[in-house]
Amino acid sequence: MIRRIAAVAALIPAMLGVTSGAASAHPAPKATAAVVTLTYDASRAGQWAGALAQGAKNWNASVHNVQLKPASSPSSANFVYVATSGWPQTTLGPIVPGGNRGQVQLGQEAVDEGYDMTRIAAHETGHILGLPDDYSGPCSELMSGHGPGTSCTNAKPSAAEVAQVDRNYAQGAAAVSPKQHRIVIDAWPAPALAGAH
């Protein structure tokens, strides 16, 4: 009798066309009918060009409802990257086409402290897409920024971060509710050495 119950229980998923096992904690979001395209100007990004290209590539490979592309001219960009000597700072989005123009200041001080340029570029782009900082998060979370220290070079968003960005742009550009264009300043200080005074 127990064998028959076990056999029937094993057949139920097959009969229903489902697989057994745990479901994904973050199901893959489906693309909207109209994917939002955000254009950026990197003409003033200097040495950050390669890091920006990789950061945009990482976001484009992960999200479904928004894509990042270089602008055809600086004046047509939805947001701009600028190399600066200070700390990174960014307009908190989500930025939308036709809305207020966003700006990412790529601060050299973070690089001087030992942080990875591609992680910084991708992290700051996450702010443009509407993600806040979460410094207490692990290295696997891009928006944990400097929290995990200089050894963290992960420049790809986590599944939860991808899902949030896809939700931000799920209904297309017209439905996006931008935040009050405040500036997020990211000080990426190197962690203090144990026992240092």
Side-chain angles (χ1 to χ4, degrees), residues 9-187:
L11 287 175
I12 290 174
M15 292 173 19
L16 295 175
V18 298
T19 59
S20 58
S24 171
H26 301 284
K30 299 199 178 172
T32 60
V35 173
V36 176
T37 299
L38 293 179
T39 59
Y40 61 88
D41 170 33
S43 63
R44 295 187 288 158
Q47 68 176 351
W48 293 84
L52 294 176
Q54 185 60 54
K57 182 178 177 182
N58 292 353
W59 276 110
N60 287 341
S62 301
V63 295
H64 301 86
N65 296 334
V66 62
Q67 289 291 287
L68 306 170
K69 298 194 184 305
S72 58
S73 69
S75 62
S76 68
N78 301 123
F79 66 99
V80 61
Y81 291 105
V82 179
T84 68
S85 60
W87 292 106
Q89 56 185 350
T90 303
T91 307
L92 180 60
I95 297 296
V96 293
N100 290 332
R101 189 171 180 184
Q103 184 177 86
V104 178
Q105 294 186 17
L106 299 161
Q108 183 62 36
E109 285 191 47
V111 177
D112 293 345
E113 290 282 345
Y115 291 96
D116 181 74
M117 290 179 81
T118 305
R119 179 170 170 84
I120 295 167
H123 172 93
E124 299 304 324
T125 303
H127 289 315
I128 288 287
L129 300 173
L131 297 179
D133 288 310
D134 179 16
Y135 296 138
S136 63
C139 180
S140 60
E141 290 179 6
L142 182 57
M143 300 314 291
S144 64
H146 64 75
T150 56
S151 64
C152 176
T153 60
N154 171 48
K156 294 181 179 179
S158 69
E161 292 165 333
V162 166
Q164 182 58 57
V165 169
D166 275 332
R167 281 192 297 274
N168 289 350
Y169 292 92
Q171 301 302 315
V176 174
S177 175
K179 308 279 189 254
Q180 298 174 344
H181 273 55
R182 62 183 186 154
I183 304 299
V184 178
I185 299 174
D186 287 312

